[in-house]
Amino acid sequence: EKGGYDHFMLKEIYEQPRSIRDCMRGRIYPEEGKVQLGGIKEFADKLKNIDRIIIVACGTSWHAGLVGEYLIEEYARIPVEVEYASEFRYRNPIITEKDVVIAISQSGETADTMAAIEMAKEKGATIFGVCNVVGASIPRITHAGVYTHAGPEIGVASTKAFTAQVTVLTLMAFYMAQQKGTISNSKLVELLTELDCIPDKIQVALQSNDIVKAISEKFKDSRNCLFLGRGSGFPVALEGALKLKEISYIHAEGYPAAEMKHGPIALIDEEMPVVVIATKNSSYEKVISNIQEVKARKGVVIAIVTEGDTEVKKMADYCIEIPDSSEAFLPLLATIPLQLLSYHIAVLRGCNVDQPRNLAKSVTVE
Ligand code: F6R
């Protein structure tokens, strides 16, 4: 049942080239520069004129929401707010009939996310779901939605469900941009052609497994760990930190790299591993100065870099390479080595990877 892997989590990490391919099947037409999302087709016209999108979710799904915010704002130019479902529902939020709420949930059963949807629905908003479990409670109460089709996820820590959520949100961002006319057809051809190759690039990113395992040996006894990223690398940092804390029980925090100097820098010393998303994109130079700040305080830097990088390699203690890609697809690739890092550290610490203490696969109580 684990297909030769020691744990479901590892099997699910390795399934990602396939699960993402499944998620895109029949939805992208790279040569024509077209995205088709049957599940929200009825709302195609409404999407031309919406003022605001509110994304509600919990945990890892909330991190996917942050990536979605970045992509929808970038390509469809629609303002997006990303809310923890539990905070949103108790805050008397301002919601109107003009709003579109996107609820993201792997299980489709999360109590807070359900309650947030019910409230927004009562106030007249249009509700879209991004769920993995077909026919679960959330997809039944939404107006429309797009399934992630990642297949059953058994490991409690979300891995392939997260990358499938990010893939669906990427498709939604492109779909909305296409409806609104905020993206040219030629740009869409270019992006979809690249997206079509992302499963192959994930396959390459998985080849970092041996180096990640070796790095894990060095850091298995750490008590704390900081994850830093900028732009869409920031939600990746948050997700890397959550994975590490939930399965290895090491205290970890994700931060926007530039926020480090506003507090967390005080924690940095030779005992503190700092994982930095330092791939070649618009914030590359800025991230390099953040790495220098860490090194100046004797922090140990583990950097996720673009294949062939030379600059970061001069400074970081350890580098993990991932294939080059447009910034839009960075989260899908940079997440892979972080999943592997948390997995190997947890295994080395003797933790129950697939069933971490105190956690449940679906949180149906608030
Ligand atoms: C983390 C994890 C949780 C879930 C959260 C929301 O690995 O699995 O943080 O992401 O409980 O669950 P869903 O997506 O089912 O609503």
Side-chain angles (χ1 to χ4, degrees):
E1 45 170 17
K2 291 181 196 149
Y5 292 96
D6 289 344
H7 298 94
F8 283 109
M9 183 183 178
L10 192 62
K11 171 174 177 267
E12 288 159 3
I13 290 173
Y14 274 88
E15 268 170 12
Q16 291 174 107
R18 206 217 63 218
S19 55
I20 289 176
R21 177 76 58 215
D22 289 345
C23 173
M24 298 193 295
R25 183 162 297 121
R27 292 170 169 171
I28 64 165
Y29 299 86
E31 279 129 67
E32 296 157 54
K34 211 169 169 314
V35 177
Q36 240 167 20
L37 293 173
I40 57 170
K41 200 171 64 191
E42 281 177 71
F43 293 88
D45 280 330
K46 184 180 170 95
L47 291 175
K48 289 179 185 154
N49 296 305
I50 50 176
D51 296 338
R52 172 170 84 139
I53 290 172
I54 304 165
I55 297 180
V56 294
C58 305
T60 285
S61 300
W62 184 81
H63 297 156
L66 291 179
V67 177
E69 170 183 37
Y70 175 90
L71 292 166
I72 295 169
E73 292 197 344
E74 173 75 17
Y75 293 103
R77 310 302 296 155
I78 302 168
V80 179
E81 286 163 33
V82 188
E83 302 267 2
Y84 283 115
S86 57
E87 287 295 317
F88 180 74
R89 61 180 286 210
Y90 289 115
R91 205 185 55 224
N92 191 16
I94 300 155
I95 310 166
T96 73
E97 300 87 58
K98 289 194 341 209
D99 291 322
V100 169
V101 171
I102 304 177
I104 310 172
S105 176
Q106 187 288 129
S107 62
E109 301 293 347
T110 302
D112 279 318
T113 309
M114 286 246 311
I117 297 175
E118 266 154 5
M119 187 184 70
K121 208 173 166 186
E122 245 165 61
K123 299 199 177 183
T126 302
I127 322 288
F128 293 167
V130 175
C131 296
N132 194 44
V133 177
V134 176
S137 305
I138 290 174
R140 279 189 273 126
I141 61 169
T142 54
H143 295 112
V146 182
Y147 280 113
T148 46
H149 293 312
E153 192 179 60
I154 313 291
V156 164
S158 180
T159 53
K160 65 171 180 171
F162 172 73
T163 49
Q165 289 166 339
V166 170
T167 304
V168 163
L169 290 160
T170 306
L171 297 180
M172 284 177 124
F174 293 165
Y175 184 74
M176 289 174 192
Q178 170 186 291
Q179 296 312 117
K180 281 195 68 187
T182 50
I183 194 166
S184 69
N185 185 256
S186 58
K187 183 74 189 167
L188 212 43
V189 168
E190 184 189 311
L191 286 166
L192 293 177
T193 305
E194 191 182 345
L195 180 59
D196 204 25
C197 297
I198 288 293
D200 300 333
K201 289 190 181 179
I202 290 182
Q203 197 70 57
V204 176
L206 285 166
Q207 291 166 8
S208 66
N209 186 56
D210 290 350
I211 171 152
V212 173
K213 199 170 168 187
I215 293 171
S216 304
E217 296 271 1
K218 311 255 180 217
F219 295 101
K220 67 177 176 27
D221 298 319
S222 298
R223 303 202 50 219
N224 298 286
C225 188
L226 202 55
F227 288 75
L228 304 176
R230 301 177 81 112
S232 64
F234 165 52
V236 175
L238 290 176
E239 177 58 9
L242 179 61
K243 286 291 90 95
L244 188 65
K245 71 185 105 171
E246 69 183 335
I247 63 164
S248 75
Y249 318 139
I250 293 174
H251 170 240
E253 284 193 68
Y255 257 96
E259 276 294 304
M260 186 181 63
K261 58 178 147 325
H262 299 285
I265 198 162
L267 293 168
I268 294 174
D269 60 18
E270 48 277 84
E271 303 275 281
M272 177 69 115
V274 184
V275 179
V276 187
I277 318 298
T279 47
K280 284 214 178 91
N281 50 48
S282 58
S283 49
Y284 184 62
E285 298 299 328
K286 300 268 179 205
V287 172
I288 286 184
S289 25
N290 297 133
I291 293 177
Q292 281 161 342
E293 288 157 14
V294 175
K295 285 312 300 170
R297 282 149 193 96
K298 303 197 164 56
V300 187
V301 172
I302 304 159
I304 310 297
V305 299
T306 305
E307 235 163 35
D309 181 279
T310 51
E311 286 299 295
V312 177
K313 278 190 189 148
K314 288 183 213 149
M315 288 175 280
D317 299 85
Y318 303 91
C319 284
I320 304 167
E321 291 194 341
I322 57 171
D324 193 14
S325 81
S326 299
E327 205 154 343
F329 310 122
L330 165 71
L332 290 171
L333 299 172
T335 300
I336 307 296
L338 303 189
Q339 294 172 341
L340 290 168
L341 184 71
S342 63
Y343 172 78
H344 288 299
I345 291 181
V347 170
L348 289 164
R349 288 165 70 93
C351 299
N352 186 346
V353 174
D354 284 334
Q355 295 248 283
R357 68 188 182 203
N358 310 340
L359 292 172
K361 190 66 188 161
S362 45
V363 185
T364 52
V365 291
E366 61 165 280

